[in-house]
Amino acid sequence: MHPEKQKHDFEPKIIAFVCTWCTYAGADLAGTSRMQYPANVRVLKFPCTGRIDPVFILKAFQQGADGVLVSGCHPGDCHYIAGNFHARRRFAAFRKLLEFVGVDLERLQFSWVSAAEGGKWVEVVSDLTEKVRNMGPMTEFKELALEEQWSGTINTEELKEAYKQI
Amino acid sequence: MSRIGVFVCHCGENISRTVDVERVAAQVGKMPGVAFATDYKYMCSDPGQTLLKKTIQEQKLSHVVVAACSPRMHEKTFRKAVEAAGLNPYLCEMANIREHCSWVHEDKQEATAKAIEIVGMLVERVKKNRVLPTITVPVTKRSLVIGGGIAGIQAALDIADAGHEVVLVERDPSIGGHMAQLSETFPTLDCSQCIMTPKMVDVANHPNITLYSYSEIEQVDGYIGNFQVTIRRKARSVDEDKCTGCGVCMEKCPVKKIPNKFDCNLGMRPAIYVPFPQAVPNTPVIDRDNCIKFKTGKCGLCQKVCGPGAVDYEQEDTLIVEPVGAIVVATGFDLYTIDEKPKGSMIKGYGEFGHGKIPDVIDGMTFERLASASGPTGGKILRPSDGKEPKQIVFIQCIGSRAREKGISYCSKVCCMYTAKHTMLYHHKVHDGQAYVFFMDARTPGKAYDEFWRRSIEEEEAVYIRGMVSRLYQKGNKIVVMGSDIAVGVQVEIEADMVVLATAIQPRTGADSLAQKLGISYDKYNFYSEAHAKLRPVECATAGIYLAGACQGPKDIPDTVSQASAAAAKVMTLFAKDKLEREPIVARVKEAGCVGCFACKKVCAYGAVEEKEIRDRQGNLIKVVAYVNPGVCGGCGTCQATCPSKSVELDGYTDEQIVAMIEAL
């Protein structure tokens, strides 16, 4: 009945930061409508996109997320009057910063999904998953972490060699 | 150490079909901090909730995670159950493994793995949840209503009838507003005064209503349930307690020829006056700009003739403070200025239509006064220029409304209907006259509205021409109106005796400064914004403040009255409790870290952030920090994401909780 599910070598981890009033409800609607989408996404609920600190996005990448989605109410529809406008402004600046430090912005997506847009939620999540899957794992943070670890340890071959010579 | 209980729901087969719930429970049971994990067929059912409560007590659980449907569905249910078992309700979280997992995935292995991760995230989150006490604030069961038009009157009467005290503040010397100026009202053509004035008298006689006419709002402090409102009572020069309303002063006043604003400057009034005979309160006011006594120090005739000795030239403005718990804003509207250069307006006027230059080009409200039986002409339709009856009359609609080039893109909603009414009133009074209407669209949604509009054409012989007027000029004692009839595609030229412009509804001048005093938001036109366009249309986003009537957007009388009663109902709902309870999802400032930059104050849409002084024991100021008023806070958390020193926290969504969830991944 359903098309054979394709197996992939790499399954990306997608974290979604969503507001409770629009996008979370939109995702609920996708569920009640029994729409299907990849199981890669993990949803974190916030009262408002205005609450989402850019640090959370960094933290998600650091914890091994390969893609991050931030989604809330459409501009003008904010349950808290203007929270999403603050979020929009904040993330516009934050994207520039990420670009500057070398994070591929394709991994970070912002969108507006209303409580009535179950279909759009499925579309956004599926597209992002597909895109990030093709990009491969996000390794920059892991490499950085490894580098840090290396500089802190002394039992590497080179160091041992160096100690011997002292 | 936390003892977390995890309850995994089958939801019949809704979850268990694609998620191996037993495996989820088994896996989650091994997580650190989890003392108990089980699965059950229907967690939300009565036996399910009993199981939850029993387990909390038997296992001495400290936190609970229910893995089931969306928290939007049953969070309240389970939090109540947890509370019944003796735990703080905010120590319970829901993991959404139905809408976000079992229903949207088919692969059982994949869905089970995802469900375990979701529950894991919530387990880590719930460890960081804190006990949150329900927030209560006291409620002062008195209400302030700003504006004494039909909206304010209706709201005030409804609240007062429910047994609560109402303070009604009106800027003009009398209540009544625009509705008191109207002649007849659509769609029933009942006389406005006949339905309005009894309500005005009710206000004056109601034991629960304190009326402050000729007064304005000076300052508003406080928050929902606890406002302190400072009202400026402008000097009336007549003692309201002593005056009997006999009217001798007005008869004797030597200044007689001041244009009366109430009659759209068609009629005249003395310097000591009531705006119209049915005014409430029926106490005159001295117009100090035009009074001889105030200008030259001589005269004083009104004081001499006043039997009760009510006239007081020494009277000064007084400020009074009223404590109230709720505020209804019903400040109404102004009509679009059609003069060439409207004062202080960004919007361009309609100078091209000759208003202000050609005396027989009038606006709709002036026509109302002409048609009103109590108006300056006694209800006869007469030209302002020569007092003759116009035989050809042209009505032009959408003056200002739906005119983006003039700065207004909205529809004023009432003009189609009142123009139809005007054609009828005209036809009733001038039997051999002919009315023409230039219109863009006829918008007549409303009970019995379209029938009314059709009647104006089919029975009252108004000629409707679809198209706008391009030019209008005086020719002898006629006004030539040139326009196009786009339905037929021809140019039309009408030699009219009088032209009536259906001008747009605009917010009151100064609506923005009142909004700033109240701390409510307004749109780009200065109409006040409701909290939600569809679901909270009478509440402001600022808690405890409600909207009624055209101050929120153009409205006709039935809509205005409905909204006023709705606002009153909201006030009564607020007053039904002695203390106000609210969800404790509010921001809290950690004063030790706060540096007082007030970035939070700038982003707070609710005006919940206040300045708080921290002093040492000697009373020396140490620093000024932010304080979030829990009664006002909306709980969005924008302040927390903005705070540069991370000194404000939204309870229920703290950084600790969020980071714990991310780290669980």
Side-chain angles (χ1 to χ4, degrees):
Chain A
M1 200 170 133
H2 295 285
E4 196 59 39
K5 209 171 149 24
Q6 218 184 319
K7 287 285 169 208
H8 303 276
D9 301 335
F10 166 60
E11 284 299 340
K13 201 175 245 187
I14 312 282
I15 315 270
F17 297 114
V18 306
C19 84
T20 183
W21 302 99
C22 290
T23 307
Y24 196 90
D28 276 1
L29 180 66
T32 31
S33 318
R34 308 296 201 275
M35 293 166 177
Q36 300 292 310
Y37 57 85
N40 306 55
V41 68
R42 303 286 176 272
V43 176
L44 266 77
K45 181 163 73 85
F46 290 82
C48 178
T49 43
R51 169 66 188 89
I52 302 169
D53 194 321
V55 168
F56 298 152
I57 297 170
L58 290 179
K59 191 84 196 163
F61 280 130
Q62 203 183 351
Q63 290 295 316
D66 301 300
V68 172
L69 171 68
V70 178
S71 179
C73 306
H74 286 268
D77 285 358
C78 183
H79 181 84
Y80 300 102
I81 312 164
N84 57 359
F85 287 122
H86 290 294
R88 185 167 67 176
R89 208 178 299 173
R90 193 183 297 147
F91 292 130
F94 181 63
R95 278 179 77 90
K96 291 271 175 211
L97 189 68
L98 275 189
E99 196 178 15
F100 177 74
V101 299
V103 174
D104 195 338
L105 290 186
E106 295 284 303
R107 293 186 182 276
L108 176 60
Q109 186 166 341
F110 296 94
S111 70
W112 315 113
V113 175
S114 81
E117 294 174 331
K120 188 175 174 193
W121 167 253
V122 171
E123 212 174 283
V124 167
V125 169
S126 309
D127 287 356
L128 183 64
T129 310
E130 194 52 45
K131 199 163 67 179
V132 174
R133 184 181 284 138
N134 292 334
M135 289 170 76
M138 161 97 177
T139 50
E140 284 90 337
F141 263 105
K142 284 168 201 156
E143 280 163 16
L144 269 178
L146 281 176
E147 246 174 72
E148 242 173 56
Q149 210 171 4
W150 180 83
S151 66
T153 48
I154 49 162
N155 51 355
T156 57
E157 285 305 313
E158 292 98 324
L159 276 173
K160 277 177 191 163
E161 205 51 32
Y163 270 108
K164 269 181 201 166
Q165 282 171 13
I166 295 168
Chain B
M1 187 63 194
S2 44
R3 291 183 57 81
I4 302 169
V6 180
F7 299 83
V8 187
C9 180
H10 296 221
C11 194
E13 276 199 331
N14 278 310
I15 295 171
S16 58
R17 192 182 296 125
T18 36
V19 172
D20 184 346
V21 283
E22 282 155 26
R23 225 187 100 209
V24 173
Q27 284 286 329
V28 172
K30 291 180 202 156
M31 288 178 185
V34 177
F36 179 87
T38 187
D39 58 283
Y40 189 75
K41 198 103 183 146
Y42 289 106
M43 276 312 295
C44 59
S45 69
D46 203 32
Q49 291 190 45
T50 313
L51 168 77
L52 176 69
K53 289 178 210 169
K54 230 174 84 188
T55 318
I56 290 173
Q57 280 156 352
E58 282 176 5
Q59 299 283 331
K60 300 194 171 45
L61 297 179
S62 62
H63 303 83
V64 171
V65 173
V66 182
C69 51
S70 169
R72 295 171 58 85
M73 183 96 175
H74 274 315
E75 191 174 70
K76 274 201 179 129
T77 317
F78 291 118
R79 284 193 167 165
K80 257 189 203 157
V82 166
E83 195 176 18
L87 268 186
N88 183 277
Y90 298 94
L91 297 177
C92 165
E93 289 287 346
M94 282 194 76
N96 186 348
I97 58 166
R98 193 178 74 172
E99 280 87 344
H100 287 189
C101 189
S102 74
W103 275 351
V104 289
H105 308 308
E106 277 162 350
D107 188 313
K108 195 157 184 173
Q109 215 172 347
E110 230 177 48
T112 308
K114 181 177 178 181
I116 293 170
E117 274 196 42
I118 294 176
V119 182
M121 275 161 68
L122 269 302
V123 165
E124 288 307 318
R125 183 192 210 279
V126 84
K127 281 182 196 168
K128 308 286 182 192
N129 277 20
R130 282 195 291 242
V131 171
L132 300 179
T134 312
I135 294 170
T136 55
V137 283
V139 179
T140 310
K141 295 187 181 180
R142 301 176 83 227
S143 177
L144 168 74
V145 177
I146 307 172
I150 182 61
I153 289 175
Q154 184 65 42
L157 285 174
D158 284 355
I159 300 166
D161 284 343
H164 303 296
E165 277 180 54
V166 178
V167 177
L168 177 60
V169 175
E170 166 60 46
R171 179 160 69 171
D172 286 338
S174 167
I175 56 169
H178 280 112
M179 190 175 160
Q181 285 178 280
L182 303 181
S183 55
E184 267 128 66
T185 51
F186 62 78
T188 45
L189 289 187
D190 34 7
C191 131
S192 188
Q193 290 272 351
C194 316
I195 53 179
M196 185 67 178
T197 44
K199 277 191 180 287
M200 290 161 60
V201 175
D202 285 350
V203 167
N205 295 338
H206 207 296
N208 285 341
I209 299 180
T210 311
L211 171 62
Y212 294 127
S213 61
Y214 208 49
S215 303
E216 284 184 39
I217 302 298
E218 188 78 7
Q219 196 185 332
V220 180
D221 296 307
Y223 56 94
I224 182 168
N226 302 278
F227 293 106
Q228 300 287 332
V229 184
T230 313
I231 300 161
R232 174 178 292 275
R233 305 206 65 195
K234 292 180 278 188
R236 204 178 188 110
S237 315
V238 176
D239 190 328
E240 271 184 79
D241 298 329
K242 288 184 189 162
C243 175
T244 58
C246 66
V248 177
C249 52
M250 295 187 269
E251 275 169 36
K252 298 289 179 197
C253 180
V255 188
K256 285 271 189 299
K257 298 223 162 150
I258 304 162
N260 190 357
K261 207 180 102 199
F262 183 82
D263 280 333
C264 298
N265 301 336
L266 290 176
M268 298 298 165
R269 62 160 172 85
I272 181 167
Y273 72 105
V274 291
F276 55 105
Q278 300 86 352
V280 170
N282 189 19
T283 311
V285 51
I286 295 182
D287 168 7
R288 293 188 173 184
D289 294 336
N290 289 304
C291 172
I292 299 172
K293 175 79 186 170
F294 281 94
K295 283 204 292 195
T296 66
K298 288 169 191 157
C299 187
L301 205 57
C302 46
Q303 197 171 43
K304 279 172 214 150
V305 297
C306 181
V311 177
D312 175 10
Y313 301 123
E314 307 295 311
Q315 212 179 53
E316 281 177 7
D317 288 10
T318 47
L319 294 178
I320 34 176
V321 179
E322 290 279 0
V324 294
I327 299 174
V328 177
V329 187
T331 49
F333 64 95
D334 272 341
L335 282 172
Y336 183 69
T337 325
I338 45 183
D339 297 338
E340 197 138 19
K341 283 178 194 161
K343 249 190 220 164
S345 171
M346 299 190 316
I347 294 158
K348 297 171 194 160
Y350 268 88
E352 64 263 41
F353 285 168
H355 189 258
K357 279 183 281 181
I358 308 172
D360 295 329
V361 177
I362 60 173
D363 68 1
M365 188 53 89
T366 314
F367 188 87
E368 294 283 347
R369 293 313 298 152
L370 287 176
S372 171
S374 60
T377 56
K380 290 197 182 95
I381 310 282
L382 301 174
R383 306 207 315 173
S385 62
D386 52 10
K388 281 187 187 151
E389 206 174 53
K391 296 296 177 195
Q392 299 246 51
I393 186 163
V394 170
F395 295 90
I396 308 173
Q397 288 196 220
C398 293
I399 299 294
S401 317
R402 304 175 66 199
R404 266 177 289 181
E405 68 283 4
K406 299 281 182 186
I408 295 182
S409 46
Y410 58 84
C411 164
S412 288
K413 206 173 171 186
V414 294
C415 326
C416 286
M417 286 302 290
Y418 80 59
T419 301
K421 177 188 75 181
H422 286 172
T423 65
M424 285 190 191
L425 295 181
Y426 174 72
H427 194 244
H428 293 171
K429 295 187 187 222
V430 186
H431 298 297
D432 55 345
Q434 178 60 55
Y436 300 91
V437 182
F438 283 92
F439 75 117
M440 296 209 275
D441 297 294
R443 298 188 163 182
T444 56
K447 198 172 172 182
Y449 281 15
D450 203 62
E451 295 91 317
F452 182 84
W453 175 66
R454 287 193 164 275
R455 212 171 91 207
S456 78
I457 301 169
E458 288 161 8
E459 293 171 31
E460 313 278 358
E461 293 163 14
V463 173
Y464 270 71
I465 301 160
R466 190 188 286 269
M468 272 312 274
V469 171
S470 56
R471 194 172 164 227
L472 189 154
Y473 63 94
Q474 182 109 43
K475 185 180 166 193
N477 63 354
K478 296 270 185 188
I479 304 158
V480 180
V481 183
M482 297 169 77
S484 53
D485 184 339
I486 60 165
V488 192
V490 293
Q491 293 298 310
V492 191
E493 197 175 305
I494 298 167
E495 290 204 348
D497 298 308
M498 190 152 114
V499 174
V500 183
L501 307 178
T503 45
I505 280 181
Q506 277 191 287
R508 281 275 188 203
T509 320
D512 46 350
S513 72
L514 179 65
Q516 284 151 14
K517 283 175 195 165
L518 289 162
I520 60 177
S521 48
Y522 49 94
D523 66 13
K524 61 175 174 177
Y525 303 109
N526 288 359
F527 283 121
Y528 299 143
S529 306
E530 62 285 341
H532 190 282
K534 281 139 270 178
L535 300 178
R536 293 171 72 197
V538 299
E539 296 146 278
C540 283
T542 309
I545 303 183
Y546 307 91
L547 299 172
C551 62
Q552 182 230 357
K555 254 178 219 76
D556 56 18
I557 296 167
D559 281 0
T560 297
V561 173
S562 311
Q563 200 190 13
S565 287
K570 287 283 173 194
V571 172
M572 288 178 235
T573 313
L574 177 66
F575 289 175
K577 284 183 186 159
D578 297 321
K579 292 226 163 169
L580 199 64
E581 276 187 17
R582 57 155 302 166
E583 213 189 9
I585 307 297
V586 291
R588 210 163 22 80
V589 177
K590 293 182 274 185
E591 287 168 1
C594 178
V595 295
C597 70
F598 295 104
C600 47
K601 195 174 180 176
K602 281 182 207 134
V603 299
C604 181
Y606 299 90
V609 181
E610 297 165 11
E611 293 180 15
K612 183 180 166 187
E613 291 178 348
I614 297 197
R615 291 177 184 278
D616 64 12
R617 284 187 194 174
Q618 279 78 42
N620 303 315
L621 185 67
I622 298 171
K623 63 172 179 176
V624 181
V625 296
Y627 167 74
V628 177
N629 188 326
V632 187
C633 176
C636 65
T638 304
C639 52
Q640 183 172 4
T642 307
C643 179
S645 63
K646 299 280 159 255
S647 299
V648 57
E649 242 180 12
L650 180 68
D651 279 335
Y653 292 91
T654 60
D655 281 353
E656 249 192 330
Q657 287 168 301
I658 307 294
V659 170
M661 281 178 89
I662 300 172
E663 284 183 342
L665 288 163

